[in-house]
Amino acid sequence: QKEVEQNSGPLSVPEGAIASLNCTYSDRGSQSFFWYRQYSGKSPELIMSIYSNGDKEDGRFTAQLNKASQYVSLLIRDSQPSDSATYLCAGKYSGAGSYQLTFGKGTKLSVIP
Amino acid sequence: KAGVTQTPRYLIKTRGQQVTLSCSPISGHRSVSWYQQTPGQGLQFLFEYFSETQRNKGNFPGRFSGRQFSNSRSEMNVSTLELGDSALYLCASSLLTGSTGELFFGEGSRLTVL
């Protein structure tokens, strides 16, 4: 059973602070990881992907992957109220010529002005 | 460029009925995946189609089925509806199967089963 676990939150941070979102996964065969953002009443949208150990930065977002610890994180610097949303962590497992994304249940982030 | 279009957006059915949901992917995208989203279980993978072939299937009963047409449009069908099937059904398209995992989601079809 491939599982992705996230703290459901809610996580509240003040505007301008760093928000840290975490995710663990059970399947060592998972090769790549993705962070999707879902605003209330909207569909998920991809914001970050990470494929190898280490950090990947894109603007105010930094994704971190540690395959040995089976741990993925997303840091949001200078958090803005517009970042308030549910963040979904997803792992991609590839096998037998196909792939499947397994999503965590999401962490709800609230950025307080 | 038009996004992923799902119809209908909202529907109400009663137990025992069946429902068909439709998804038109982004132009040029050949892979369509379906997910069920509920507050308790989150996003759960139903199945993926690529070039009219089902490439992968999640752990859902056989009441859930789907297909893809030659123009990449996809439909999913749920027969003998149960109360627990009430959920948001999301369709996502991507350029190629086995690609980067970058999915583009539609706005979803919200199904309520009474």
Side-chain angles (χ1 to χ4, degrees), chain A residues 65-83:
Chain A
L65 173 59
N66 184 323
K67 290 190 176 183
S69 301
Q70 296 178 240
Y71 179 88
V72 191
S73 66
L74 179 70
L75 300 178
I76 306 174
R77 290 182 300 281
D78 187 24
S79 295
Q80 301 297 309
S82 59
D83 295 325

Side-chain angles (χ1 to χ4, degrees), chain A residues 1 34 36 38 41-46 51 88 92 97-101 103-105, chain B residues 35 37 40-41 43 45 48 55-56 90 94 97-103 105-107:
Chain A
Q1 181 86 12
F34 308 87
Y36 282 79
Q38 186 173 24
K42 299 294 185 181
S43 56
E45 58 176 334
L46 179 68
Y51 306 101
L88 303 168
K92 178 181 130 176
S98 184
Y99 79 97
Q100 176 178 331
L101 278 189
F103 283 85
K105 294 183 180 179
Chain B
Y35 288 83
Q37 187 173 37
Q41 297 299 317
L43 265 172
F45 175 76
E48 184 216 357
R55 296 297 300 268
N56 205 358
L90 290 163
S94 60
T97 188
S99 63
T100 62
E102 181 175 358
L103 301 179
F105 284 89
E107 292 297 318

Side-chain angles (χ1 to χ4, degrees), chain B residues 21-107:
Chain B
L21 309 177
S22 179
C23 172
S24 293
I26 292 172
S27 178
H29 284 196
R30 297 170 62 189
S31 172
V32 173
S33 301
W34 288 90
Y35 288 83
Q36 181 195 66
Q37 187 173 37
T38 59
Q41 297 299 317
L43 265 172
Q44 292 188 290
F45 175 76
L46 282 157
F47 26 65
E48 184 216 357
Y49 287 88
F50 179 79
S51 293
E52 303 178 66
T53 301
Q54 187 180 88
R55 296 297 300 268
N56 205 358
K57 189 176 190 302
N59 294 324
F60 278 82
R63 300 185 297 108
F64 292 81
S65 63
R67 59 177 175 169
Q68 186 180 34
F69 302 96
S70 58
N71 61 358
S72 294
R73 190 178 71 85
S74 177
E75 289 181 347
M76 68 163 282
N77 184 77
V78 188
S79 62
T80 319
L81 284 166
E82 301 177 358
L83 295 179
D85 297 333
S86 294
L88 179 67
Y89 290 87
L90 290 163
C91 166
S93 77
S94 60
L95 189 58
L96 296 170
T97 188
S99 63
T100 62
E102 181 175 358
L103 301 179
F104 296 85
F105 284 89
E107 292 297 318

